C-alpha cells in the first residue's frame, strides 16, 4: 500500500504496522525460527521498507524491484538460494550485504545507494548485474574479494552527494 511518512493524511500508526510486518517476515526467514519458510519466494516490489533487518535470512527467491529502503538496510549473512532482484531499488542510508551468499543471478540494475554499501565477504555464485547502479563518490562500495582477473562491475554510475535520479525503468528477467 502507498505510504509517505511526510504526508499528514497518513496515520502515524502505519509506520508501526509496517515495521511489525517486516519483523514478522524476517523472523520466518531465519532458520532458527520454528515456523521457518526455507523455500520462500518473497516479493517486495515497490515496497516502502523502514529500517529493514533481514540479516541472517535464508530465502528461495527474493524480489525488491523499485523498493525504497528508508533508514539502514541490513542483509548481512543472508543467503539467497535462487535469484535476487533489487532493480531500481533506492537505499536512502547504509546497505549492508557483508557475508551474504547469492547462489543465483542477482540484479542491482539502476539501484541507487545514498549511503555506505558493503559487500565484504559476499559470495556471488551466479551473475551479478550492477548496470546503471548509482553510488555516491564519497561513499564508495566495499566489494568482496573478487575472483582473479575480475574487474569492477561494468556500468556503475558515480554521482555527487545527495543525487535525486529518476527511477530506472525495469529490465532484465
Amino acid at each position: 500500500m502507498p505510504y509517505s511518512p511526510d504526508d499528514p493524511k497518513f496515520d502515524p500508526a502505519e509506520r508501526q504496522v509496517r515495521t511489525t510486518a517486516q519483523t514478522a517476515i524476517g523472523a520466518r526467514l531465519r532458520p532458527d525460527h520454528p515456523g521457518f519458510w526455507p523455500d520462500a519466494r518473497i516479493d517486495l516490489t515497490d515496497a516502502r521498507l523502514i529500517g529493514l533487518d533481514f540479516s541472517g535470512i535464508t530465502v528461495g527467491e527474493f524480489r525488491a524491484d523499485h523498493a525504497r529502503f528508508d533508514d539502514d538496510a541490513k542483509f548481512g549473512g543472508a543467503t539467497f538460494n535462487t535469484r535476487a532482484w533489487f532493480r531500481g531499488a533506492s537505499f536512502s542510508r547504509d546497505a549492508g550485504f557483508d557475508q551474504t551468499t547469492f547462489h543465483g543471478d542477482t540484479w542491482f540494475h539502476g539501484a541507487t545507494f545514498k549511503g555506505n554499501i558493503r559487500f565484504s565477504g559476499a559470495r556471488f555464485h551466479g551473475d551479478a548485474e550492477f548496470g546503471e547502479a548509482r553510488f555516491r563518490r564519497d561513499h564508495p562500495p566495499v566489494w568482496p574479494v573478487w575472483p582473479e582477473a575480475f574487474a569492477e562491475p561494468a556500468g556503475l554510475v558515480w554521482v555527487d552527494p545527495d543525487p535525486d535520479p529518476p527511477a530506472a525503468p525495469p529490465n532484465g528477467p
Side-chain angles (χ1 to χ4, degrees):
M1 291 181 59
Y3 173 69
S4 177
D6 302 326
D7 188 336
K9 74 177 181 180
F10 285 100
D11 184 344
E14 178 68 20
R15 180 183 175 94
Q16 184 63 39
V17 170
R18 286 172 179 273
T19 56
T20 298
Q22 290 172 194
T23 300
I25 292 168
R28 297 298 290 255
L29 298 176
R30 291 188 176 91
D32 62 348
H33 191 281
F36 174 50
W37 298 332
D39 299 314
R41 295 176 65 183
I42 302 298
D43 188 343
L44 299 173
T45 299
D46 295 318
R48 180 99 181 239
L49 304 161
I50 304 162
L52 185 73
D53 184 357
F54 273 15
S55 55
I57 67 164
T58 297
V59 64
E61 184 174 280
F62 188 84
R63 185 178 295 266
D65 290 336
H66 303 284
R68 182 171 169 180
F69 294 87
D70 291 344
D71 300 323
D72 294 344
K74 299 175 184 174
F75 289 93
T79 301
F80 296 90
N81 282 324
T82 61
R83 295 171 291 200
W85 290 272
F86 293 90
R87 294 176 302 193
S90 176
F91 295 85
S92 68
R93 295 202 26 208
D94 295 349
F97 290 90
D98 293 323
Q99 305 300 319
T100 298
T101 301
F102 298 91
H103 285 288
D105 294 343
T106 305
W107 294 272
F108 283 94
H109 183 90
T112 299
F113 300 95
K114 294 184 178 179
N116 295 310
I117 179 162
R118 297 187 56 84
F119 285 97
S120 294
R123 292 172 300 282
F124 293 87
H125 296 281
D127 291 337
E129 202 269 310
F130 285 85
E132 298 180 28
R134 295 176 174 270
F135 299 93
R136 284 176 46 168
R137 290 182 202 283
D138 59 339
H139 290 286
V142 177
W143 300 107
V145 176
W146 297 107
E148 190 174 324
F150 188 88
E152 178 179 276
L156 299 184
V157 178
W158 296 97
V159 296
D160 291 322
D162 299 318
D164 192 18
N171 68 11

